[in-house]
Amino acid sequence: MSVSTEHLRVAVLLSGRGSNLAALIEAAGQELAIALVGAFGDRADAPGLARAAAAGIPTASFSPKSYPDKASFEAALFAAVAASGAELVVLAGFMRVLTAHTVEQWRGRLINIHPSLLPKFQGLHTHARAIEAGEREHGASVHFVTPVLDGGPVLMQTRLPILPDDTPESLATRLLPLEHRLLVAAVRLFAERRVRLDGDQIAVDGQMIGEPLKL
Ligand code: GAR
C-alpha cells in the first residue's frame, strides 16, 4: 500500500486479541485513507501485536510492572505513540484506565470502542449486564476519551437486538462484526477530516451532533 501524506496517521492501543485492529488493517488495505503507524500494547504476548507485526506495522509493548508508577508507564507509552507521528489514537480493547493527564494531552485525538450503548454499561462485563438488566437492545459505541471512564462524548453507535436465548458469549459473538464495521466507519470520518471535538460537543461537517451517529 502506498501512503500519501494525506493519509491520517493512526496508532492503535490494545491488550488482547486485536480483531478491531485487524478490521482497520483490512480497511486500510482497501479504501480507508489511513496509515497505521504503530500498534502499542501493555502485554508483550497480546495476539493483536502479533497481528500488527504480521501486517508490517511497527509494534511496541510496555509492561506497567517495569515502571514505578502509572504516570511513568503512561509517559513512556505515549512518548512512543507521539514518536510514531500519530494524529489519532484508537483504544481497541486496551483494558487500562488512562490518567487524566494523558487523556487531556490527547483530547480530541483519542477515541475508544466500547461494547455497550453508552451511557449504559460503562466498565466491564457489558454483555452479561445488558442481558441481566432485561435490555432488548445492545450495541457498541465509539467515543472520545475523557477523564471520566467510558464517559466521553459518543460519536457513533451500532445496535443489535438481544434475543431471548442470548448468552453473554452469543451476544458478544454477534456484536463483534458490527464493532468492526463501526470502528472503520468512525475512523473514516477522521480520515476524511470531518470530525472535531469542541469542548464536550462533537462537530461533524461543522455541525454539532445532538446524538450519536448511527452506523
Ligand atoms: C472489543 O469487544 C472491545 O469493544 C472491548 O474489548 C474487545 C476487544 O476485542 N473493549 C472494551 O471492553 C473496553 N472497555 P479485540 O481485541 O478483538 O479488538
Side-chain angles (χ1 to χ4, degrees):
M1 184 187 65
S2 69
V3 173
S4 89
T5 50
E6 276 149 34
H7 279 57
L8 183 77
R9 297 174 67 86
V10 177
V12 176
L13 269 58
L14 55 82
S15 299
R17 179 176 58 182
S19 71
N20 278 287
L21 168 67
L24 289 177
I25 292 171
E26 192 183 334
Q30 296 171 359
E31 84 304 4
L32 184 63
I34 63 170
L36 287 160
V37 293
F40 301 89
D42 57 350
R43 320 171 37 128
D45 62 353
L49 292 181
R51 283 186 186 221
I57 297 164
T59 65
S61 73
F62 294 82
S63 169
K65 292 197 193 107
S66 308
Y67 297 88
D69 52 35
K70 190 166 169 154
S72 50
F73 159 69
E74 281 184 22
L77 170 60
F78 276 85
V81 171
S84 74
E87 299 168 89
L88 177 71
V89 180
V90 178
L91 307 184
F94 185 68
M95 304 308 276
R96 281 182 189 278
V97 179
L98 296 171
T99 60
H101 175 74
T102 299
V103 167
E104 290 299 352
Q105 275 187 328
W106 289 83
R107 193 178 178 95
R109 299 176 291 157
L110 181 60
I111 60 172
N112 179 45
I113 182 159
H114 181 77
S116 81
L117 293 172
L118 290 173
K120 289 182 176 172
F121 310 117
Q122 298 164 340
L124 299 175
H125 310 301
T126 56
H127 315 300
R129 286 162 59 210
I131 292 170
E132 274 161 27
E135 296 286 337
R136 299 175 62 167
E137 261 195 330
H138 188 47
S141 306
V142 170
H143 66 95
F144 282 98
V145 179
T146 66
V148 181
L149 178 65
D150 299 327
V154 179
L155 173 61
M156 195 182 280
Q157 292 181 322
T158 183
R159 296 171 178 266
L160 82 174
I162 297 180
L163 304 177
D165 57 353
D166 257 330
T167 62
E169 293 72 29
S170 69
L171 191 51
T173 300
R174 284 194 294 115
L175 179 59
L176 194 61
L178 296 177
E179 282 194 44
H180 298 159
R181 287 177 47 207
L182 176 72
L183 185 60
V184 169
V187 169
R188 177 171 290 115
L189 287 177
F190 287 89
E192 294 173 351
R193 322 269 169 183
R194 294 171 60 193
V195 57
R196 180 171 52 84
L197 185 65
D198 192 351
D200 278 334
Q201 300 284 325
I202 299 172
V204 175
D205 297 333
Q207 301 283 329
M208 300 298 177
I209 57 168
E211 55 185 41
L213 304 180
K214 294 184 176 65
L215 181 65

